[in-house]
Amino acid sequence: MKHPHLQLSTEITRALNLGAPVVALESTVITHGLPHPQNLQLARDMEKQVRDAGAIPATVALLDGKIRLGLSDEELVRLSESESTLKVSHRDFATAIVQKLNGGTTVAGTMHAANMSGIKVFATGGIGGVHKESSFDISTDLKALADTPMIVVCAGAKAILDLPATLEYLETMGVPVVGYQTDEFPAFYSRESGLNVSARLDSPKEIAEFAKAHWSLGLRSAVLVTNPVPEAEAIPQSKMEPFIAKASTEAIEQGIHGQALTPFLLGRISELTKGKSLKANLALLLNNARLAAEISKEMYTAKKAWAI
Ligand code: PSU
Ligand code: MN
C-alpha cells in the first residue's frame, strides 16, 4: 500500500515484497551526530557493511518533505552537506512534511518510518535516554522502543546519559535489553558500565528466535540488542568520565538543552578526547550495522522455513 508521505526506493520495495533481509539505518548521526566529511564516509560505510553481510540497507531520512527509505549516493551527499537539516523525531515529521524540509531521523523517527514499511531490524550507534542535566529530558527514543516491535542494534545508551535511569525506564516499559555476547550493559564508548542487561544472547540466530518469542506473546515493544564497541577502539569508562563531566557542565553553563544537547555533548567530547571518542563512535556504528545484517538474515531464513 502506498502512503502519500513515504517513499521507498525500488530496491527496498522489491526486497520487502520478497521478504529479503533489510536493515534500517538512521540519519541523525549523519546530519547532527558527526562532523563532515566523516559523516558521509560513515553513511557509505554503514551501507557497505550491511551489503557485505548479505542484507539490504535502508537509510531513512527526509528529503524535500518526503520520508525516504533507501537513498542514492547523490542524496547521501546532499544530506551530509546540507546545513539546515531538521532533527526529526516523532513530533517533527509533520513539520518537515508541510515545510518540505530535509531532515535526519533519530532512533525514534527511524523506527517509526521503518515500522510503517514493515522493516524489522535497525542499526544505530547509541540510543537516546534520560539526560543527566535534567531528569525531564527523556529521549523520544525510549518511548519508541516501548511501542515499536523492532530489533534495534546499538552499543548501549550514550555514555553522556544517566544510564541507570535509562535502564529503569526501559524495564518499566517492558523493553528487553539483550547483551550480545556480554552480561554487562555497554556504555557506548566503553564496553563496561557496571550495569546488567536483562538477557545475554550469543548468536544472531538466538536473537532472531528471542524476538519472535517476544512478539508471539502479543508484546509490542522493541528488542534492544546491545553490542559492545570493538575492543581496539574502546575507551575505559574511568577515562571517559572526566570528559563527560566537563562537557555536561559546559552544557549547563551555556544553557544548551532540548534537541541541541546530544549533538553538543558528542561534539565536545570528541574535542576533549582529541578525536578518540569519534573513532570509537565510527567503529561501533559499523560493528552494529554488521550484527544487524546478520540478525536480519536469520529472520529471513526463519521466515522462509516457516512459509514452507
Ligand atoms: N548515536 C550516535 N550519534 C547520534 C545519535 C545516536 O552515535 O547522533 C542520535 C540518534 O539519532 C538518537 C539521538 O536518536 O541522537 C538522540 O537525540 P535526543 O537525545 O535529543 O533524543
Ligand atoms: Mn532530549
Side-chain angles (χ1 to χ4, degrees):
M1 200 181 63
K2 277 212 186 296
H3 188 285
H5 301 307
L6 200 64
Q7 202 174 309
L8 278 64
S9 70
T10 318
E11 183 188 29
I12 289 164
T13 306
R14 196 173 298 147
L16 290 171
N17 284 339
L18 291 170
V22 175
V23 173
L25 300 172
E26 63 142 310
S27 51
T28 291
V29 67
I30 306 171
T31 57
H32 294 75
L34 298 171
H36 192 72
Q38 283 97 331
N39 61 347
L40 176 61
Q41 191 59 43
L42 181 273
R44 288 174 170 156
D45 290 350
M46 291 244 341
E47 293 203 348
K48 185 167 184 308
Q49 285 286 335
V50 171
R51 282 192 200 280
D52 288 352
I56 293 164
T59 299
V60 178
L62 277 108
L63 285 179
D64 305 318
K66 281 264 184 237
I67 307 170
R68 302 278 306 272
L69 283 86
L71 305 184
S72 67
D73 195 63
E74 296 77 63
E75 288 166 338
L76 276 185
V77 172
R78 231 178 101 197
L79 194 69
S80 73
E81 287 176 349
S82 169
E83 281 185 4
S84 58
T85 47
L86 203 63
K87 175 171 161 183
V88 182
S89 217
H90 285 187
R91 68 170 186 181
D92 314 295
F93 276 114
T95 309
I97 289 167
V98 300
Q99 297 180 359
K100 302 201 177 355
L101 302 176
N102 297 337
T105 47
T106 63
V107 168
T110 308
M111 286 177 79
H112 190 73
N115 190 48
M116 283 176 77
S117 315
I119 297 173
K120 289 302 232 194
V121 184
F122 163 38
T124 180
I127 57 161
V130 182
H131 274 280
K132 286 179 178 162
E133 293 76 10
S134 156
S135 52
F136 281 110
D137 187 346
I138 301 173
S139 177
T140 312
D141 293 357
L142 297 188
K143 187 195 171 307
L145 287 163
D147 52 37
T148 317
M150 185 166 296
I151 297 176
V152 179
V153 181
C154 68
K158 274 167 286 186
I160 54 174
L161 300 165
D162 182 335
L163 297 183
T166 301
L167 281 176
E168 290 294 347
Y169 188 104
L170 291 170
E171 182 183 355
T172 302
M173 292 299 159
V175 179
V177 179
V178 171
Y180 179 62
Q181 299 178 345
T182 180
D183 296 302
E184 200 170 338
F185 184 66
F188 199 61
Y189 306 120
S190 317
R191 293 173 64 86
E192 71 284 350
S193 68
L195 301 163
N196 294 328
V197 292
S198 68
R200 173 194 176 127
L201 297 173
D202 291 331
S203 70
K205 184 162 185 280
E206 281 180 277
I207 294 170
E209 282 166 2
F210 182 100
K212 282 189 190 143
H214 182 70
W215 296 327
S216 77
L217 305 173
L219 299 168
R220 308 310 292 154
S221 65
V223 171
L224 185 66
V225 175
T226 62
N227 185 25
V229 56
E231 229 147 313
E233 284 85 10
I235 310 171
Q237 202 187 15
S238 55
K239 278 209 173 142
M240 283 309 299
E241 260 159 16
F243 298 126
I244 293 170
K246 187 165 170 28
S248 173
T249 308
E250 288 178 11
I252 295 168
E253 281 168 4
Q254 296 177 33
I256 293 162
H257 57 88
Q259 284 192 315
L261 182 58
T262 296
F264 172 83
L265 292 172
L266 294 176
R268 262 317 267 147
I269 288 167
S270 172
E271 287 168 12
L272 293 169
T273 59
K274 302 197 172 64
K276 266 191 95 177
S277 69
L278 179 60
K279 256 186 93 185
N281 200 344
L282 295 172
L284 66 86
L285 280 157
L286 298 180
N287 197 39
N288 294 344
R290 190 171 334 111
L291 178 59
E294 285 165 6
I295 297 168
S296 76
K297 281 190 342 196
E298 291 296 339
M299 306 284 287
Y300 175 51
T301 314
K303 188 173 170 194
K304 271 203 309 195
W306 184 74
I308 296 161

